[in-house]
Amino acid sequence: MRFGVTGMVLRVILIFVFLLFWEAVVRLFGIPAFILPPPSNVLLALYRGFASALYVGHIGVTLAETFMGFALGSVLAFSLGVAVALSRRVEYYLYPFIVMFQAMPKVALAPLVIIWFGLGITSKVVAAALVAFFPLMVNTIAGLRSADEDRVNLMRSLAASRWQIFWMLQLPNAMPYIFAGLEIAMIFALIGAIVGEFVGATSGLGMLIQSMNFTMDVAGQFSILLILSALGLLLNGLVVTLRRRVLFWDQSEKADAAEQAVAEKGGVS
Amino acid sequence: MPQRSCAIGEGLAILQAGLRTVAPAEISTAARDVINVKRLSKQYGGGAEPILALKDIDFAIPEGEFLSIVGPSGCGKSTLLKILAGLMPASGGEALLNGTPIGGPRRDIGVVFQSPVLFPWRSVLNNVLLPADVQRLGRTVMEKRAYDLLRLVHLNGFERRYPWELSGGMQQRVALVRALIHDPALLLMDEPFGALDAMTREQMNVELQRLWMERKKTVVFITHSTAEAVFLGDRVMVMTPRPGQVGDIFRVDLPRPRGLEVMNTEKFGGYVRRIREVLNAGGGLE
Ligand SMILES: Nc1ncnc2c1ncn2[C@@H]1O[C@H](COP(=O)(O)OP(=O)(O)OP(=O)(O)O)[C@@H](O)[C@H]1O
Ligand SMILES: [Mg+2]
């Protein structure tokens, strides 16, 4: 925004220059397509994939897995986060599990998940949920605990019940943290679904990448990577749009602070 | 809670709603005290070095009185207020509200803190209605009351705004109205205007006096400013540095309503001087 219209134009030009450079290098040095395809081949693969309707079905599968995994992981993460934040006892007993699970790279569970839940969509939903779970749980806990002492005292001075303090103060107060967690959970769910498909699946974009790898269709793989990053942007955009609506009152510093909390605590996926 | 609904009417009627009977059974003078504090003490931390914040505090506040409390920083004013609000227990002695020991937060107390403590996700109107929501008072009746009170502090037209759209003084007025919305018999204020500039502060003092005269609440008003304490108080209680004790209590005989010009009078200056002497004798800094 700061760089104005000329900045915008320069940006676009830069992208074109990069693509031209790429194309030129591949052609000039005669790099084989199974190592690095020129961008024109990638675009062609993208076009063919959509024209033959091959990609659409796989995109649908991956999206479905991502959304269901996100929903499942979020519901569980939120519920557990609330329980931990509100009850010292629950926190005390669950703490060892949380620490162990937090330190473990969740994607490493994917092979086990495939064994337990099969090659169908269920295993990918579970994998996505597993990966999405942690950032949201950590943020839910941090958010619910972040209620300002003065505000808690105000509620208490009104003889508010613990339940009322939760609904009227802690939960709305935690929303910036929760949304920051949801943003990350959404992207993590996509990662979980793709990794699950890598390990074992009959459909989905991850499975498509795997099979293209076997046939050395590198241009095809690049075209799927493009689709995946577009999906990532789209999914992130959905959560951000929702956040802007719900958190109209938030002066953004809070969300940033929460994002930092995630970076510090929920990093390992 | 329908019994509160009768209090609402047009104009002046809402102002009279503050009148409320206290401890009807007993007739002795002690029973007419809304607050009665006896040998109250408070100690923080039980470990190696406990802090004695309050020691043997004794005072009583009759119904409808405006009591100002001044004292050096750290002498335990906020601690005393939190005990009165039922937010923390005392370590020794007792604090009675209408003759019964304060065992926890009470519905008929309004508290104003040093900062406005507004909820950014609630509009001005909904912030004001927070006590009504917590105590499940009829929303329609309370909304009418909220509009009337907001007009009283010149905030009409801001009902649908959000806290971040208001200045500090306006936010503090919202906090004041919120403390009054459920018509509490007792108002506890902890340096409510401490963060405001001198001019806004004087304005707020005048408005608070007006509200209090119209609604006749019992008020405990903590401040750092001796001038503010004298201007507003029926009596001024001076506390000594830690451990906080009652240094002296002055009765302020200035006619009401007091205008800001009363601060320039000889009598007013005399009160301020005498209070400062007590504060300085205790080693406190003003
Ligand atoms: N939660 C706490 N734990 C331990 N000590 C505390 C706590 N709160 C207050 N104190 C101590 O009690 C003493 C009185 O504190 P308090 O906040 O009541 O003072 P105050 O008179 O309100 O001061 P100020 O005018 O600066 O607001 C202070 O010396 C402080 O160190
Ligand atoms: Mg204080």
Side-chain angles (χ1 to χ4, degrees), chain B residues 131-183:
Chain B
D133 288 346
V134 169
Q135 304 183 1
R136 303 215 171 80
L137 313 173
R139 184 88 186 197
T140 39
V141 174
M142 284 295 137
E143 219 165 273
K144 168 100 179 52
R145 210 179 136 84
Y147 274 97
D148 290 336
L149 281 168
L150 283 170
R151 190 164 52 240
L152 226 53
V153 295
H154 312 298
L155 279 177
N156 37 323
F158 286 92
E159 294 87 357
R160 306 274 160 207
R161 300 272 172 166
Y162 282 82
W164 69 84
E165 300 176 278
L166 308 185
S167 73
M170 291 160 92
Q171 291 184 19
Q172 201 53 275
R173 275 181 275 166
V174 174
L176 186 60
V177 168
R178 180 184 58 201
L180 294 170
I181 190 73
H182 54 307
D183 197 24

Side-chain angles (χ1 to χ4, degrees), chain A residues 151 154 156 158 164 172 248-249, chain B residues 87 105 118 120 134-135 164:
Chain A
R151 289 183 178 160
L154 172 74
R156 286 184 54 219
L158 294 169
Q164 286 177 320
F248 64 93
W249 51 267
Chain B
L87 291 174
L118 301 178
V134 169
Q135 304 183 1
W164 69 84

Side-chain angles (χ1 to χ4, degrees), chain B residues 18 40 56 83 85 92 97 115 128 133 149 156 160 162 189 278:
Chain B
L40 186 82
D56 293 338
I83 294 173
L97 180 71
S115 57
V128 166
D133 288 346
L149 281 168
N156 37 323
R160 306 274 160 207
Y162 282 82
M189 308 175 85
V278 177

Side-chain angles (χ1 to χ4, degrees), chain B residues 78-139:
Chain B
S78 300
T79 304
L80 177 60
L81 187 114
K82 280 182 192 150
I83 294 173
L84 293 181
L87 291 174
M88 59 163 72
S91 316
E94 57 178 357
L96 306 178
L97 180 71
N98 296 332
T100 50
I102 298 171
R106 302 263 300 235
R107 284 161 162 254
D108 50 355
I109 295 179
V111 184
V112 184
F113 297 93
Q114 180 157 5
S115 57
V117 202
L118 301 178
F119 292 179
W121 52 87
R122 284 180 168 244
S123 65
V124 165
L125 181 68
N126 283 331
N127 265 291
V128 166
L129 288 173
L130 181 73
D133 288 346
V134 169
Q135 304 183 1
R136 303 215 171 80
L137 313 173
R139 184 88 186 197

